[in-house]
Amino acid sequence: MLSITAQYRRTEQEARSSTDMRVQLFALVLVLLLGLGQSRKPHHQHQLKIPPHDEVARVARYVVNQCQWASMATISTHDPVKGQPFANVFSISDGPVGHGQGVPYMYLTRMEISVQDLEANAQASLCVSLAQTDFCRQQGYDPQSPLCAHIILSGSVMEIRNTSVEEVVAKKALFSRHPEMMDWPSDHNWFFAKMNITQKPETQSPQNQDACGPTATCLPVIRF
């Protein structure tokens, strides 16, 4: 009788242990699924509605503010492409998403070949596209489609004076959206720079004059 009772208790314990394992396994799978669901969310969510396409300055400001990087073209000083356009990718920021200042800031080092080009000729163009965000994918727009808003900024790249007020602004703008930058090697002599946009949009209209201020120093040349 004792043997039967002991065997029953052992069977009951094994059943309870098996149930506990199934519960733990279910909980683990649930956690993994929740994590997977979160990881599939776009890294960059559009928090603001894109302005009307005819309000060119506002669209330009929106694109620059929403995007994390740009393709910058310089005139190469390096063989075998010396004297030819040379495009490279750079992280940018004009401030927090939804609160940009309209000035694309960059974090550069003179060890970079494009920066060496800029030291010989500071003129450059900066292409920024919503194709890098979830907007065009959600709308089903091809990156080359005019409906997938992209802009081309034309001007010169200027180094921001060390210890200046603007350096503080640039640092906050970039490090808040690109925190990895804070850990980049200090012996690379990084410095902050900005795109000094020298031309206004060809389609500028009175209703968007105030988007970047009366001097229009942050209004880019637009191509759609």
Side-chain angles (χ1 to χ4, degrees):
M1 184 67 176
L2 290 174
S3 177
I4 294 175
T5 301
Q7 184 177 2
Y8 172 79
R9 288 178 177 174
R10 187 164 56 250
T11 303
E12 186 179 25
Q13 289 174 353
E14 290 175 354
R16 187 180 297 116
S17 177
S18 177
T19 300
D20 291 340
M21 288 181 64
R22 285 197 296 269
V23 170
Q24 292 174 4
L25 180 61
F26 174 79
L28 177 61
V29 171
L30 182 61
V31 169
L32 290 174
L33 287 175
L34 288 173
L36 182 61
Q38 291 178 353
S39 66
R40 285 182 176 177
K41 291 181 180 180
H43 174 69
H44 185 73
Q45 297 280 359
H46 274 265
Q47 300 178 6
L48 303 173
K49 184 178 180 181
I50 188 169
H53 67 88
D54 57 338
E55 296 185 26
V56 182
R58 288 188 61 205
V59 172
R61 289 285 296 268
Y62 177 86
V63 173
V64 169
N65 181 246
Q66 292 289 307
C67 291
Q68 299 279 74
W69 57 270
S71 176
M72 182 167 66
T74 58
I75 301 301
S76 179
T77 57
H78 298 83
D79 293 326
V81 292
K82 188 174 183 178
Q84 299 180 28
F86 184 82
N88 205 346
V89 171
F90 291 91
S91 296
I92 62 169
S93 175
D94 76 330
V97 175
H99 302 281
Q101 301 299 313
V103 179
Y105 291 111
M106 294 172 281
Y107 197 41
L108 306 177
T109 170
R110 290 178 176 82
M111 298 174 66
E112 216 287 326
I113 55 176
S114 294
V115 177
Q116 293 169 14
D117 295 341
L118 293 170
E119 290 182 322
N121 183 351
Q123 297 297 310
S125 62
L126 205 67
C127 183
V128 191
S129 172
L130 287 185
Q132 65 180 269
T133 71
D134 59 327
F135 173 77
C136 296
R137 288 189 294 271
Q138 288 180 350
Q139 301 298 322
Y141 297 152
D142 185 87
Q144 189 175 330
S145 169
L147 298 174
C148 183
H150 52 283
I151 62 173
I152 300 173
L153 314 179
S154 179
S156 59
V157 177
M158 299 178 57
E159 181 175 353
I160 296 173
R161 186 168 55 84
N162 192 25
T163 71
S164 66
V165 174
E166 188 171 19
E167 185 190 45
V168 176
V169 174
K171 181 177 182 179
K172 184 176 180 180
L174 284 160
F175 286 8
S176 63
R177 295 182 64 172
H178 304 279
E180 179 187 327
M181 289 179 171
M182 291 184 284
D183 298 322
W184 286 357
S186 58
D187 60 357
H188 284 36
N189 297 317
W190 299 94
F191 63 92
F192 296 98
K194 66 178 179 180
M195 186 69 178
N196 182 35
I197 302 161
T198 56
Q199 299 184 46
K200 303 176 185 180
E202 294 179 354
T203 53
Q204 183 179 343
S205 55
Q207 67 266 28
N208 59 41
Q209 280 277 358
D210 60 348
C212 289
T215 60
T217 55
C218 64
L219 295 183
V221 174
I222 311 296
R223 297 288 184 272
F224 289 108

